[in-house]
Amino acid sequence: MVFKKLLGALGVGGPSVDTVLHHPHVRPGENLVGEVRITGGKQDVNVEHVALGFVTRTETEHGGRDGHAGVEFHRAVVAGHFALREGENKTIPFELPVPWETPITSVYGQHLAGMTLGVRTELAIAKVANKGDLDPVIVEPLPAQEKVLEAFSQLGFHFKSADLEHGHLRGVRQELPFFQEIEFFPPPQFSGRINEVELTFVAGPHGLDVVLEADKRGGFFAPSQDAFGRFHVTHEEALTTDWAGQIHGWLEQAAERRGGMGHHMGGYDQHQGYGHHPHGYHEEHHRRGSGVGGMVAGAALGAGAGFLGGMVAGEIMEEVFEGDEEEF
């Protein structure tokens, strides 16, 4: 997208920038490949640097009120100082690493409603950093994450929504300042016992943490309770794990039992806790399948949201992030 804000920052006739992504579909741990195309304006300028940053939106809480804030969670300088002549065309190729913990925004071609993520280009001239529009990036799940999502589909879960929570999960090695929660309505057999289930992935180069949270319905005199579970596997183990069996067994225990427990299960550690929150915030507070895609699409349509509300074009993304730039 071409910088429109540069005209105001550098005067009419200043340089313009267009960032082109060769393929906007990526997975965590891969590289986002593209090029930054710069066209000189009506005068020579000295460019101090060109940088790219991944930007998303997280849930926030200030003064008891919930809100949203834009967050730049990964940044790289793709070009240092250079002179840009009047009318000169310059192309800067780049390969931007995608952090392993980057949130998923699409599953089997279906956008996850609530997710907004893009890459923003910054051109610095005369000590003024001019930020351009957002270029949407589509982040698809790792094969290990797909196996877990397929199990949710097999068990009859229905996608509700997804968001990003600012903070860190207790007991999980986490690099980014937020984590993704993918929310599901439970299968019919758990109706009346479980309100919803939230799924969080924390991926790394060597393995994957799968964190589950079940919101348990309370009795007539008892408040609802949360139950938590954590599975840690290597990427290879995740591909051969019976996730449907493990998740169903954990959910049965979460629905029926109170108290806490932890034990070995299926060749890897399963840590479960009940009645406490695992998030332990340190904050101010290309395969295609029909099952998961249908689960996601059906839930969005059933909830009346539709994917047009979740699939955000570049112009709409600018409006979503408008007012958050000071956060960066």
Side-chain angles (χ1 to χ4, degrees):
M1 296 182 182
V2 177
F3 282 15
K4 299 183 178 76
K5 298 179 181 178
L6 285 183
L7 295 178
L10 303 174
V12 175
S16 62
V17 178
D18 186 18
T19 299
V20 178
L21 304 179
H22 292 172
H23 200 297
H25 294 255
V26 294
R27 282 175 166 168
E30 295 180 345
N31 289 328
L32 182 68
V33 180
E35 57 188 31
V36 180
R37 301 172 182 174
I38 306 174
T39 302
K42 296 182 179 181
Q43 58 183 341
D44 297 346
V45 295
N46 289 317
V47 177
E48 297 180 0
H49 70 256
V50 178
L52 297 172
F54 282 114
V55 181
T56 188
R57 183 180 63 175
T58 65
E59 301 284 337
T60 61
E61 183 177 339
H62 296 286
R65 289 187 174 184
D66 295 332
H68 300 87
V71 176
E72 183 183 75
F73 62 92
H74 182 65
R75 175 185 174 85
V77 174
V78 296
H81 185 276
F82 63 90
L84 182 67
R85 304 304 177 189
E86 176 184 352
E88 179 185 1
N89 293 316
K90 187 175 182 62
T91 299
I92 303 170
F94 66 83
E95 291 190 12
L96 184 64
V98 181
W100 282 95
E101 295 175 22
T102 299
I104 298 167
T105 66
S106 178
V107 179
Y108 294 137
Q110 299 292 337
H111 184 86
L112 289 184
M115 288 294 98
T116 303
L117 191 145
V119 62
R120 191 192 295 277
T121 310
E122 176 185 282
L123 180 67
I125 298 176
K127 298 183 180 181
V128 176
N130 301 278
K131 294 181 173 65
D133 298 337
L134 284 177
D135 290 285
V137 177
I138 301 167
V139 183
E140 299 176 340
L142 294 162
Q145 295 168 330
E146 285 182 351
K147 294 293 290 185
V148 178
L149 292 169
E150 287 171 3
F152 270 78
S153 177
Q154 294 169 10
L155 292 171
F157 284 87
H158 292 281
F159 174 77
K160 177 183 178 183
S161 64
D163 61 23
L164 301 179
E165 296 288 338
H166 182 74
H168 286 78
L169 294 163
R170 180 180 298 136
V172 177
R173 183 180 178 85
Q174 183 181 332
E175 300 293 336
L176 297 184
F178 57 79
F179 55 91
Q180 182 179 33
E181 290 184 336
I182 305 174
E183 302 174 358
F184 296 91
F185 294 111
Q189 63 265 37
F190 292 98
S191 177
R193 295 188 291 166
I194 299 292
N195 291 319
E196 66 179 32
V197 176
E198 295 177 351
L199 167 65
T200 294
F201 293 119
V202 181
H206 305 296
L208 177 71
D209 280 289
V210 179
V211 182
L212 302 175
E213 177 179 348
D215 180 11
K216 300 168 59 178
R217 290 183 181 273
F220 188 75
F221 295 103
S224 62
Q225 295 182 343
D226 289 343
F228 308 97
R230 177 167 65 88
F231 303 79
H232 178 78
V233 292
T234 66
H235 292 286
E236 293 75 17
E237 289 172 337
L239 300 180
T240 59
T241 295
D242 176 14
W243 286 108
Q246 300 292 2
I247 294 170
H248 183 271
W250 172 83
L251 199 56
E252 282 285 1
Q253 295 176 356
E256 300 298 333
R257 300 189 58 175
R258 298 171 185 263
M261 63 179 294
H263 60 279
H264 293 285
M265 197 169 185
Y268 56 90
D269 291 338
Q270 179 197 45
H271 306 283
Q272 301 189 112
Y274 299 86
H276 68 280
H277 205 286
H279 295 167
Y281 293 138
H282 302 296
E283 58 167 11
E284 294 98 10
H285 158 163
H286 285 210
R287 207 166 46 117
R288 289 290 179 267
S290 59
V292 180
M295 169 182 68
V296 174
L301 295 173
F307 278 105
L308 291 180
M311 190 70 77
V312 194
E315 290 77 12
I316 302 177
M317 290 180 73
E318 275 301 297
E319 297 177 4
V320 170
F321 285 93
E322 186 176 358
D324 293 326
E325 293 182 359
E326 297 301 323
E327 303 271 343
F328 310 149

